Amino acid sequence: MKDEPRSTNLFMKLDSVFIRKEPFGLVLIIAPWNYPLNLTLVPLVGALAAGNCMVLKPSEISQGTEKVLAEVLPQYLDQSCFAMVLGGPQETGQLLEHKLDYIFFTGSPRVGKIVMTAATKHLTPVTLELGGKNPCYVDDNCDPQTVANRVAWFRYFNAGQTCVAPDYVLCSPEMQERLLPALQSTITRFYGDDPQSSPNLGRIINQKQFQRLRTLLGCGRVAIGGQSNESDRYIAPTVLVDVQETEPVMQEEIFGPILPIVNVQSVDEAIEFINRREKPLALYAFSNSSQVVNQMLERTSSGSFGGNEGFTYISLPSVPFGGVGHSGMGRYHGKFTFDTFSHHRTCLLAPSGLEKLKEIRYPPYTDWNQQLLRWGMGSQSCSLL
Amino acid sequence: MGMMITESGSQDVGRSPGWGVPKALPSAWHSKCPGGCCFPLRLEAPESWWQRAHPELKTPAHSCARAPGTLEAPWAEEPGRAGCGSPWMDPLEDTLRRLREAFHAGRTRPAEFRAAQLRGLGCFLQENKQLLHDALAQDLHKSAFESEVSEVAISQGEVTLALRNLRAWMKDERVPKNLATQLDSAFIRKEPFGLVLIIAPWNYPLNLTLVPLVGALAAGNCVVLKPSEISKNVEKILAEVLPRYLDQSCFAVVLGGPQETGQLLEHRFDYIFFTGSPRVGKIVMTAAAKHLTPVTLELGGKNPCYVDDNCDPQTVANRVAWFRYFNAGQTCVAPDYVLCSPEMQERLLPALQSTITRFYGDDPQSSPNLGRIINQKQFQRLRALLGCGRVAIGGQSDESDRYIAPTVLVDVQETEPVMQEEIFGPILPIVNVRSLDEAIEFINRREKPLALYAFSNSSQVVKRVLTQTSSGGFCGNDGFMHMTLASLPFGGVGASGMGRYHGKFSFDTFSHHRACLLRSPGMEKLNALRYPPQSPRRLRMLLVAMEARGCSCTLL
C-alpha cells in the first residue's frame, strides 16, 4: 500500500514525487467452476487488499461451492463492502449492464469477449483470464517415463479441467511409440488398474461437459483409456493418436482427461504448428536439451511457459499469471493481484512558495529559458527504473 | 469494406457516398497489376494464423476485368463486381500482412534492431527539427519554446532513455522461489505482443505519437501508426519523412479520418494504444473486444483545480494560468476549471489578469507565445462556450485567426455547457464553493479526471484533496510538470482512461510479461512427492514446500 517515491529531475528536487496506490472502487469478480474456491478467492484477496468494495459472482455450475460461498463466506466479511450475486448467464448479463470500476473475469474466450464488450460501455478496465489449447512439445531427446509422469500428472489433475493443463502433445512418431507405454504405466501407477475406483481422479462437472467430452473420444484412435460412464460423469484418463488437426478434439479447448498426440517431424514443424494457432495460456516443452527448450521459448508466445515441467509456477506468487492474445489480458497472483486492483496515481507535491524558481518557464520566452528548461528536464538523476 | 486509396492526384469520379476521402500515400503501398492498371493489387498471402482466425478477410485472387491502362474509378460500377478496384480490395491488409510476416520472422526481436529503430527516431527528430517546428507552428501556432519543450525535447528524452535502458528493460527478471521450485529457473520474460496500432491525437501531434512509438519499438513490436488528420502539417511529415528513418518492413503509417480509422479497427491487432476523447475511446475498446485485443486508452475529462483561501493569489495565478493557456488550452491535463470561495475569487481575478498581461502582453493576439485553436470546428465550439457565465477576463475571439483570448469566466452554473464538456481551450471557468468539503464533494460527484490540482499553503489541505479524491494524476501547488518525468506513469482512471506509459512504463505496456519455469529433465525422484496415490503425510510435505520461501526476501 505504501507510496512509491520516484526519481526526479533538477527542477523538481524540492518536490515530493511518488506513486500512490488507490482502489478503483467497486470491483466485480466473475469466477468459473473448475477451481471454484481458488479462482474466486485468490482474486478476492487482491481486490480486498487493494481496498475495493466487492461484488462476487461465483459459478452457478459448481453448485456445492457456490452455496458455501453464498451462505458462509459473507459471514466473515464486512457486508457493507461485499456482496454476492448468484445466477446464470442471464443474471450475469444483467449484472454487466451496471457501472463497475473494475471487472475480473475467468472463463472462456467467447464469454471474455462479451465481458469486455460490456465493460466498454462504462470504460471499465478488465482482466480476462481465458484459455486455449496449451501445446506440449515432447522432443525425441528425453526420457519417456519422466515425461509421461509429468505430462500425465498435469493433464489428469482435476480430471483435466484446468486452464493451464497440457492440452495436446506434439512429438515425432518415434517418440510417440516410446511415450505410449510410458503413459500407460504412469496412469496405472497413479490411478490403479481401474481408474474409476481411484479416489485420486476427479469427475466431469456436469452432463453438458461430459457429453461434449464423450464426443471427443471419437476423434482419432483411442490408444489408452477411452472408457466413460454417464451416471458417474466419469471419463477414463485417455490418450488419442492419429488425430487430424481439423477434428473437434484439435479445434476446441479439451478441458477434460483426454490427451491427443499430434505428430510432427521436427522442432521447426512443431513451432510452426503452434504459431499458426492462437496464443495459448500455457506452453510446455520437454527435452534433455536446454537448447531445444530455449528454442521453443524464444520462437513462440504464450501466457506462461514450462520447460520440462507443467504448471508448477502457479504456486509461485512471484510470477504473474495471465494470458496473451486469445488466452487473456492482465495478470495476477501475489503482489500482481494487488497491483491489478489498484490505480497507480502519479502524485507531485510542490512547495506553495519559491515562485522565483518557477519563473524560468513563464512567457515571454527567450532562447535562454528554453535551453535551461531543456537541460533541467533532461537531468534525471536515476534513469534506471 | 476496405480503405479506398487512389494514386496520388487522381480524381475520385463517381465515388459512392460512405467511402472516406482518399489520401495520397507513400508509393511503397502501390503495386501494379500485371494488366497495367494502377490500382492497388491484392496479393494472395500464405496462410498465417491470424488469417485462419478471420477467413472473412480472404479475397479472391486478383483478376483484372478491364483493359490495361484505363483509369476509371472502379466504384462507379455496380457493387459486388469482381475485378480491378473491386470493393473486396484491401491494400491495408497487404501492409498488415507484411508487418506480421516480418514479426513472425523475428526481425524486431534482437536488441540491435530495436536500438537501430530508436536511433532512427532520434535522427528523425534532430535532422528535421526546423521542419517540425514549422509544422507545429502552422497547425497550432506553437511557439518555438512550446514546440521544443513539450514536443521535441520530450520525444527526444524518451528516445534517449529507451536507448540507454533497452537491454536492462529487455532482460529476464529473476523471481524469488519457494522450496518446491528451488532447483528450477524461474523468471519473467518480456515479449513483444506483435502488431501494435497507435492512434494519435492532434494537440501534441509529435509527442503523443512518438512517445508511445518509442515504447512499442523498444518492446520489439511492429507498429502501425495512425496520426491525426487534423494536425495536417505534422501528419504530412510523419507520413512522408518518418518512415525513411525506420525499417519499413516493420512499420507503417496509415492516413485518414474517422471512417478510415473505423475500417482500420476492424482488423486484428495485438495491442491498440489510443489517445483521444472518451467517446472515441469506447469505440476503440469495442472494436478491440472483438479480437480480445488489449488496449491502453489515454482519454480526458474535466480536470478540477481547487484553490484554497490560504494561498498567495499571484503565485497560484501564475501557475494555473501557465498550465491552462499553454498550447491555447488544448492539453488533456490542463486545469479545466477552478473551484474556490467567492472571497478567493476576488483576489484571484486581478492576479490572473496581471499574469495574463505579463505572459502575453496587452494584446495577447499579437503575442508569439500564445497558440491558436486547431481548426474551425473546435474554434466554433469554444466560441459558444464564451457565452457561459460572465466573462471576467478576456473573451475576445477572431475567427480568421482561430484566436481565442486567454479568458476567465465567473458566475458559471454547473449545468452550462462550459461545465459539461472538456473545455480544451484557453477558457478558465471559476466555480464557487464554500469549503474544502464542498469542493471535494463537487469533484467526487463527477467522472474521475485525468488530472487533479490543489493549491494551498497548507500541506494538510493538499493532502486531504489527494486522499479524498481519485484521478489519473495529482499535483499539489503546481500543474502538469510531473508529466515530464519519465519515472512517473502517465495514465487515467475511470472515464479518463486505462493503462499508462512514459519511460519504462511504455516498454512494459507494450510487452507481454511471460512467466517461465525451467526444470531439469532429470531428478524425477524429487517429483514423486506430488504423484498419486496420495497420503496425508505427503500432502503436508507438499504444502510446506509450496509455502516456504527459499529466498529470505518476500518483499517484491
Side-chain angles (χ1 to χ4, degrees):
Chain A
M1 279 175 68
K2 250 172 103 166
D3 291 340
E4 249 182 74
R6 305 298 292 179
S7 65
T8 60
N9 61 28
L10 202 62
F11 287 110
M12 292 178 226
K13 281 296 175 226
L14 300 173
D15 303 334
S16 172
V17 169
F18 54 94
I19 299 172
R20 171 158 295 190
K21 327 294 174 59
E22 296 181 345
F24 281 105
L26 186 54
V27 168
L28 168 64
I29 294 176
I30 302 175
W33 50 261
N34 56 332
Y35 290 84
L37 197 62
N38 171 346
L39 300 180
T40 308
L41 292 196
V42 173
L44 182 60
V45 165
L48 293 175
N52 296 284
C53 280
M54 299 300 314
V55 175
L56 200 56
K57 163 66 190 79
S59 173
E60 72 287 7
I61 295 177
S62 42
Q63 279 152 4
T65 310
E66 187 202 30
K67 195 163 167 8
V68 174
L69 291 173
E71 294 175 12
V72 183
L73 175 60
Q75 296 168 29
Y76 292 80
L77 298 172
D78 183 330
Q79 294 190 50
S80 65
C81 306
F82 173 83
M84 196 78 88
V85 170
L86 306 180
Q90 189 146 11
E91 287 80 0
T92 309
Q94 286 162 7
L95 186 53
L96 286 169
E97 278 167 27
H98 293 82
K99 180 172 180 178
L100 297 143
D101 301 307
Y102 203 96
I103 300 176
F104 186 99
F105 170 79
T106 309
S108 71
R110 184 188 68 83
V111 181
K113 287 184 188 182
I114 296 170
V115 171
M116 189 172 171
T117 306
T120 293
K121 283 194 212 74
H122 303 289
L123 285 170
T124 302
V126 300
T127 288
L128 306 175
E129 298 274 330
L130 309 176
K133 291 185 74 59
N134 306 320
C136 181
Y137 173 69
V138 179
D139 197 32
D140 284 354
N141 175 11
C142 71
D143 169 45
Q145 193 57 62
T146 300
V147 173
N149 290 349
R150 296 180 190 187
V151 173
W153 193 67
F154 289 100
R155 166 78 283 187
Y156 303 118
F157 194 92
N158 199 28
Q161 294 160 118
T162 309
C163 51
V164 280
D167 186 277
Y168 63 96
V169 163
L170 285 165
C171 68
S172 68
E174 297 74 37
M175 189 61 221
Q176 181 179 303
E177 288 310 303
R178 298 161 64 204
L179 203 53
L180 285 173
L183 280 166
Q184 178 66 77
S185 163
T186 300
I187 288 168
T188 307
R189 167 187 165 184
F190 286 1
Y191 309 111
D193 292 311
D194 176 28
Q196 191 173 5
S197 59
S198 162
N200 297 310
L201 187 61
R203 293 295 183 266
I204 307 309
I205 183 74
N206 62 12
Q207 275 302 321
K208 177 179 165 191
Q209 293 296 325
F210 174 82
Q211 298 300 344
R212 180 184 66 79
L213 286 164
R214 198 155 69 167
T215 317
L216 296 185
L217 291 171
C219 300
R221 176 172 62 82
V222 172
I224 300 173
Q227 301 88 1
S228 62
N229 182 327
E230 190 168 334
S231 60
D232 198 17
R233 297 195 313 274
Y234 163 78
I235 304 240
T238 298
V239 178
L240 301 175
V241 295
D242 302 339
V243 162
Q244 297 307 311
E245 213 184 324
T246 45
E247 294 187 81
V249 79
M250 285 307 293
Q251 293 294 315
E252 57 185 78
E253 185 174 356
I254 293 169
F255 229 66
I258 299 169
L259 183 69
I261 301 182
V262 173
N263 290 139
V264 288
Q265 301 302 331
S266 63
V267 181
D268 285 332
E269 200 185 318
I271 289 174
E272 204 226 331
F273 184 98
I274 290 168
N275 286 341
R276 275 210 306 275
R277 307 168 75 94
E278 294 294 347
K279 293 176 191 174
L281 187 54
L283 209 155
Y284 303 104
F286 288 83
S287 174
N288 285 335
S289 158
S290 63
Q291 273 158 332
V292 168
V293 171
N294 274 309
Q295 258 208 75
M296 287 297 298
L297 171 57
E298 269 158 42
R299 291 166 58 190
T300 61
S301 189
S302 62
S304 45
F305 180 89
N308 290 315
E309 181 60 345
F311 50 79
T312 305
Y313 52 80
I314 285 192
S315 71
L316 274 183
S318 54
V319 292
F321 179 61
V324 66
H326 267 213
S327 55
M329 55 181 78
R331 67 234 190 124
Y332 73 123
H333 280 188
K335 183 175 186 276
F336 299 103
T337 323
F338 180 91
D339 287 339
T340 286
F341 288 110
S342 304
H343 166 53
H344 289 221
R345 189 183 192 187
T346 289
C347 302
L348 189 147
L349 305 183
S352 57
L354 301 171
E355 180 63 354
K356 286 259 173 273
L357 292 179
K358 308 275 183 191
E359 302 268 307
I360 187 183
R361 63 191 183 189
Y362 298 145
Y365 301 129
T366 62
D367 280 338
W368 184 78
N369 278 64
Q370 202 169 297
Q371 277 182 45
L372 198 56
L373 200 61
R374 238 202 119 148
W375 175 72
M377 275 164 57
S379 65
Q380 297 192 170
S381 49
C382 173
S383 50
L384 224 59
L385 292 173
Chain B
M1 294 234 309
M3 287 193 64
M4 279 297 141
I5 302 157
T6 60
E7 200 67 80
S8 357
S10 64
Q11 301 291 320
D12 353 321
V13 177
R15 183 178 292 282
S16 49
W19 293 104
V21 176
K23 303 262 181 177
L25 284 163
S27 57
W29 279 42
H30 293 258
S31 11
K32 297 233 184 267
C33 155
C37 68
C38 67
F39 295 102
L41 173 65
R42 176 65 184 281
L43 301 167
E44 276 289 67
E47 286 270 59
S48 62
W49 65 264
W50 66 277
Q51 278 182 315
R52 283 162 64 89
H54 284 273
E56 72 273 14
L57 294 180
K58 267 172 108 86
T59 62
H62 177 87
S63 62
C64 190
R66 67 183 71 252
T70 53
L71 290 177
E72 283 155 27
W75 36 88
E77 309 270 349
E78 67 270 16
R81 176 172 161 165
C84 189
S86 85
W88 292 312
M89 280 178 40
D90 190 355
L92 171 63
E93 228 187 284
D94 236 15
T95 303
L96 298 183
R97 179 187 51 83
R98 173 169 58 81
L99 260 48
R100 278 203 189 279
E101 275 170 5
F103 181 77
H104 282 297
R107 271 191 84 92
T108 57
R109 308 302 282 259
E112 296 72 30
F113 178 86
R114 304 184 200 188
Q117 295 272 74
L118 293 172
R119 279 193 294 271
L121 269 187
C123 287
F124 164 74
L125 286 167
Q126 277 161 24
E127 289 176 15
N128 298 283
K129 189 179 286 201
Q130 196 51 55
L131 200 62
L132 289 165
H133 275 239
D134 292 343
L136 288 163
Q138 285 167 318
D139 282 333
L140 289 147
H141 199 256
K142 279 198 208 225
S143 60
F145 178 89
E146 284 196 12
S147 292
E148 189 58 29
V149 156
S150 66
E151 298 266 25
V152 178
I154 285 199
S155 306
Q156 183 65 63
E158 288 274 343
V159 169
T160 307
L161 187 72
L163 274 169
R164 204 183 306 149
N165 296 291
L166 183 63
R167 281 164 173 78
W169 292 350
M170 280 174 70
K171 253 173 100 164
D172 290 338
E173 254 179 67
R174 302 268 141 202
V175 295
K177 299 180 284 197
N178 56 23
L179 200 61
T181 48
Q182 264 315 291
L183 300 174
D184 303 329
S185 173
F187 55 93
I188 301 171
R189 172 157 296 191
K190 325 299 173 58
E191 297 183 342
F193 280 106
L195 188 53
V196 165
L197 170 63
I198 294 175
I199 302 176
W202 51 260
N203 58 332
Y204 290 85
L206 196 64
N207 171 348
L208 300 180
T209 307
L210 293 194
V211 173
L213 182 60
V214 166
L217 293 176
N221 297 285
C222 283
V223 181
V224 173
L225 200 58
K226 164 64 191 76
S228 174
E229 73 287 7
I230 295 177
S231 42
K232 292 193 290 276
N233 294 285
V234 173
E235 186 202 32
K236 198 165 170 2
I237 298 175
L238 292 173
E240 294 176 9
V241 182
L242 174 60
R244 295 186 214 146
Y245 291 81
L246 299 171
D247 185 328
Q248 292 190 53
S249 67
C250 306
F251 174 80
V253 180
V254 170
L255 307 180
Q259 192 133 16
E260 286 81 2
T261 309
Q263 289 161 8
L264 184 57
L265 285 169
E266 279 167 26
H267 293 81
R268 184 172 178 179
F269 292 93
D270 301 307
Y271 204 95
I272 298 177
F273 186 99
F274 170 79
T275 308
S277 70
R279 186 188 67 82
V280 181
K282 288 184 186 181
I283 295 171
V284 171
M285 191 174 168
T286 305
K290 289 198 199 73
H291 302 291
L292 286 169
T293 301
V295 299
T296 288
L297 306 176
E298 298 273 332
L299 309 177
K302 292 185 74 58
N303 307 320
C305 182
Y306 172 70
V307 179
D308 197 33
D309 285 357
N310 175 12
C311 71
D312 169 44
Q314 193 57 63
T315 300
V316 173
N318 288 351
R319 295 178 191 188
V320 172
W322 193 64
F323 289 101
R324 166 77 284 189
Y325 303 119
F326 194 93
N327 200 28
Q330 296 161 117
T331 308
C332 50
V333 280
D336 187 276
Y337 64 95
V338 162
L339 286 167
C340 68
S341 66
E343 296 75 37
M344 188 62 222
Q345 181 178 303
E346 285 312 305
R347 297 159 67 205
L348 203 53
L349 284 174
L352 281 166
Q353 179 66 77
S354 165
T355 300
I356 288 169
T357 306
R358 171 189 161 182
F359 285 2
Y360 310 112
D362 291 311
D363 175 26
Q365 191 171 7
S366 59
S367 164
N369 298 313
L370 186 62
R372 295 292 183 266
I373 307 309
I374 183 75
N375 63 12
Q376 275 301 320
K377 178 178 166 193
Q378 293 296 325
F379 174 82
Q380 297 300 343
R381 181 184 65 80
L382 286 163
R383 197 155 70 168
L385 295 183
L386 291 171
C388 298
R390 175 172 62 82
V391 172
I393 299 173
Q396 301 88 358
S397 61
D398 181 341
E399 191 168 334
S400 61
D401 198 18
R402 298 195 311 275
Y403 163 78
I404 303 239
T407 299
V408 178
L409 302 175
V410 295
D411 301 339
V412 162
Q413 297 306 311
E414 212 184 325
T415 46
E416 294 186 83
V418 79
M419 285 306 293
Q420 292 295 314
E421 58 185 78
E422 185 174 357
I423 294 170
F424 228 66
I427 300 169
L428 183 68
I430 301 183
V431 173
N432 291 139
V433 286
R434 303 266 150 219
S435 63
L436 179 56
D437 284 334
E438 200 185 316
I440 290 173
E441 202 224 336
F442 184 99
I443 291 168
N444 286 341
R445 268 205 316 268
R446 307 168 75 95
E447 293 291 355
K448 292 178 192 174
L450 187 53
L452 211 155
Y453 303 103
F455 287 83
S456 175
N457 285 334
S458 157
S459 64
Q460 273 159 329
V461 167
V462 170
K463 286 193 174 131
R464 251 194 85 187
V465 179
L466 169 59
T467 313
Q468 292 181 343
T469 61
S470 188
S471 61
F474 176 90
C475 199
N477 289 316
D478 210 357
F480 50 79
M481 279 303 278
H482 59 278
M483 276 188 62
T484 63
L485 277 180
S487 61
L488 287 171
F490 176 62
V493 66
S496 57
M498 55 181 78
R500 68 234 189 125
Y501 72 124
H502 281 188
K504 182 175 187 277
F505 299 102
S506 302
F507 180 89
D508 286 339
T509 284
F510 289 109
S511 304
H512 166 54
H513 290 220
R514 190 182 192 187
C516 302
L517 191 115
L518 306 183
R519 177 161 283 197
S520 153
M523 295 193 282
E524 180 62 353
K525 290 245 174 288
L526 293 179
N527 286 326
L529 196 60
R530 64 188 183 193
Y531 296 144
Q534 303 295 6
S535 73
R537 182 175 152 269
R538 276 178 158 203
L539 174 62
R540 275 198 299 277
M541 285 172 68
L542 200 57
L543 288 175
V544 166
M546 274 168 61
E547 254 183 76
R549 301 271 181 269
C551 161
S552 49
C553 173
T554 53
L555 229 55
L556 292 175

